[in-house]
């Protein structure tokens, strides 16, 4: 199946509130503006998700305005003992008031309430992240201070429509493999992210979704044989006939892949998330084993009206990827995550 690389610029949506040009790019081609959306404010979903990791720990931070619900969330993962803690603060009916910027390249987030403080700012070519949450875990507070720089030349950008609703769309950018340094404090624990072996990524999403959706997403980043390597793989969300989000990044340069399948093993009660996965594509370029280590689960069911079933599985990827020039990239123990998410909201 051929995919469409976006060549246009200008506004993301046309006069009728539809995507002007579904497809993929390596830089954001379009301007996003709430004023162009033809959907009620409670259906607009904006979020920024950052993850920083080294070989010992990862910290994931989410700041989202989902229209009728805001969510400020933090996760700390300890790979040495294969444990995690996630805590979320909800904000009722923000309806676009939480101040997420319209661009992934500019604009800051400065927000706080009695429990949380979020300060995510652009400083020159870098991104400075400051985050604090009281009572993150049984009376322990969480503080995160980090700087992400050396943003790679290429990133993954996709514009996705839905067949069921012409005014539904997903404008998404994923920047993988930024250099990271800083640290976090959780109670008495302090961990430093060293610039030598720490990396950061951004998942920036804006749009209007349909009510019920399932998606699969995998991302990984780290150093392999002296090169900085990143993976972004996914499927299942909206109409992706025009483009998939599948790319491998080598020293900041994107290599576009076709359709993928995560090969999640199935057990007696459905997916066996902590058994080995086999990730492949439809062109014979991708052949990866995913070794799961932590299943970060999060489940919400409010009278069957608002439902979220999340399995974000952290582990390592090993195998080969054929790059655009035909050479083989060998991946060995590249740290990342692969998730299966079902939402009704």
């Amino acid at each position: 199946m051929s995919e469409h690389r976006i060549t246009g610029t200008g506004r993301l949506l046309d006069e009728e509130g539809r995507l002007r040009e579904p497809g993929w790019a390596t830089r954001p081609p379009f301007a996003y503006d709430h004023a162009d959306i033809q959907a009620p404010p409670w259906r607009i979903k904006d979020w920024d998700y950052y993850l920083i990791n080294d070989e010992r720990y990862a910290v994931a931070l989410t700041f989202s305005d989902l229209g009728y619900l805001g969510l400020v969330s933090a996760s700390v993962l300890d790979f040495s003992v294969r444990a995690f803690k996630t805590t979320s603060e909800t904000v009722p009916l923000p309806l676009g008031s939480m101040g997420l910027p319209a661009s992934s390249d500019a604009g800051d987030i400065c927000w706080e309430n009695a429990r949380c403080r979020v300060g995510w700012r652009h400083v020159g070519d870098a991104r400075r992240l400051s985050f604090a949450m009281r009572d993150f875990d049984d009376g322990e507070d969480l503080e995160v201070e980090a700087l992400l720089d050396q943003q790679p030349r290429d990133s993954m950008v996709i514009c996705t429509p839905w067949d069921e609703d012409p005014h539904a769309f997903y404008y998404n950018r994923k920047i993988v493999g930024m250099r990271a340094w800083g640290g976090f404090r959780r109670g008495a624990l302090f961990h430093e992210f060293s610039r030598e072996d720490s990396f950061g990524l951004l998942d920036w999403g804006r749009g209007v979704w349909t009510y019920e959706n399932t998606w699969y997403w995998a991302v990984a980043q780290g150093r392999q044989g002296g090169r900085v390597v990143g993976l972004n793989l996914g499927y299942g969300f909206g109409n992706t006939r025009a483009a998939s989000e599948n790319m491998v990044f080598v020293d900041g340069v994107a290599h576009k892949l076709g359709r993928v399948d995560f090969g999640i093993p199935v057990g007696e009660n459905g997916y066996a998330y902590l058994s080995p996965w086999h990730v492949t594509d439809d062109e014979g370029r991708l052949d990866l084993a995913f070794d799961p280590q932590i299943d970060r689960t999060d489940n919400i069911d409010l009278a069957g009206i608002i439902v979220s079933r999340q399995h974000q599985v952290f582990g390592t990827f090993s195998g080969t990827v054929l790059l655009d020039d035909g050479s083989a990239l060998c991946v060995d123990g590249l740290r990342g995550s692969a998730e299966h998410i079902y939402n009704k909201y």
Side-chain angles (χ1 to χ4, degrees):
M1 182 183 297
S2 62
E3 299 193 8
H4 175 66
R5 185 165 188 172
I6 294 169
T7 57
T9 57
R11 305 190 77 77
L12 177 70
L13 306 178
D14 64 17
E15 294 79 5
E16 297 180 351
R18 305 177 184 223
L19 272 182
R20 293 177 55 242
E21 188 177 356
W24 67 274
T26 58
R27 296 285 302 173
F30 299 128
Y32 171 75
D33 190 336
H34 278 191
D36 295 335
I37 296 174
Q38 296 197 15
W42 58 86
R43 291 191 55 209
I44 301 174
K45 305 185 188 303
D46 297 343
W47 79 88
D48 285 14
Y49 165 90
Y50 282 99
L51 182 135
I52 302 165
N53 73 272
D54 57 16
E55 288 302 310
R56 175 67 190 273
Y57 286 100
V59 173
L61 304 173
T62 303
F63 186 80
S64 58
D65 185 330
L66 305 176
Y68 54 81
L69 181 71
L71 189 68
V72 183
S73 180
S75 296
V76 175
L77 299 106
D78 184 338
F79 301 124
S80 65
V81 295
R82 302 192 175 192
F84 75 92
K85 173 63 179 178
T86 298
T87 302
S88 300
E89 175 83 348
T90 58
V91 181
L93 293 173
L95 299 174
S97 67
M98 293 178 68
L100 282 87
S103 169
S104 57
D105 281 324
D108 300 335
I109 294 175
C110 300
W111 184 93
E112 63 181 299
N113 68 1
R115 186 182 189 186
C116 302
R117 174 179 50 80
V118 182
W120 297 349
R121 297 175 173 84
H122 291 265
V123 182
D125 293 330
R127 299 165 187 264
R128 183 177 296 278
L129 307 182
S130 180
F131 180 92
M133 177 181 283
R134 293 179 53 245
D135 194 19
F136 170 73
D137 182 13
D138 194 21
E140 293 184 340
D141 298 342
L142 176 67
E143 297 179 64
V144 183
E145 298 288 339
L147 189 74
L148 308 183
D149 63 5
Q150 294 186 17
Q151 181 168 306
R153 186 195 76 178
D154 294 337
S155 56
M156 192 295 301
V157 181
I158 193 169
C159 299
T160 302
W162 268 265
D163 292 335
E164 310 94 287
D165 184 346
H167 296 123
F169 66 92
Y170 179 48
Y171 189 30
N172 180 224
R173 184 186 190 190
K174 296 187 173 87
I175 306 173
V176 182
M178 291 180 279
R179 300 308 303 271
W181 60 280
F184 72 89
R185 186 181 303 278
R186 173 184 173 178
L189 168 68
F190 175 75
H191 178 73
E192 180 181 1
F193 288 113
S194 167
R195 189 181 179 85
E196 300 305 313
D197 61 358
S198 302
F199 295 88
L201 64 89
L202 167 64
D203 173 16
W204 181 93
R206 303 292 186 267
V208 173
W209 306 350
T210 53
Y211 173 56
E212 185 173 7
N213 285 284
T214 298
W215 73 74
Y216 300 80
W217 176 45
V219 64
Q221 57 187 0
R223 191 175 294 280
Q224 297 278 300
R227 296 187 289 183
V228 177
V229 173
L231 295 172
N232 188 83
L233 309 171
Y235 58 100
F237 197 52
N239 179 345
T240 59
R241 284 193 297 268
S244 70
E245 63 176 284
N246 303 313
M247 292 183 184
V248 57
F249 303 93
V250 181
D251 287 333
V253 177
H255 301 257
K256 186 72 177 70
L257 303 173
R259 309 292 156 147
V260 303
D261 183 87
F262 283 2
I264 309 174
V266 178
E268 293 182 357
N269 300 310
Y271 283 140
Y273 293 103
L274 290 175
S275 296
W277 305 17
H278 185 201
V279 183
T280 57
D281 73 324
D282 63 351
E283 299 175 332
R285 295 178 58 183
L286 182 71
D287 189 351
L288 297 175
F290 178 59
D291 178 22
Q293 297 172 351
I294 301 172
D295 181 6
R296 193 194 71 81
T297 59
D298 196 3
N299 296 299
I300 300 170
D301 191 335
L302 301 179
I305 300 172
I306 298 175
V307 178
S308 183
R309 303 188 187 118
Q310 303 182 16
H311 290 269
Q312 185 184 33
V313 184
F314 286 80
T316 57
F317 293 86
S318 299
T320 58
V321 186
L322 293 182
L323 303 180
D324 288 346
D325 63 3
S327 64
L329 171 70
C330 294
V331 175
D332 183 13
L334 183 65
R335 187 162 294 285
S337 63
E339 67 185 37
H340 170 218
I341 309 292
Y342 169 79
N343 283 325
K344 280 172 54 176
Y345 56 65

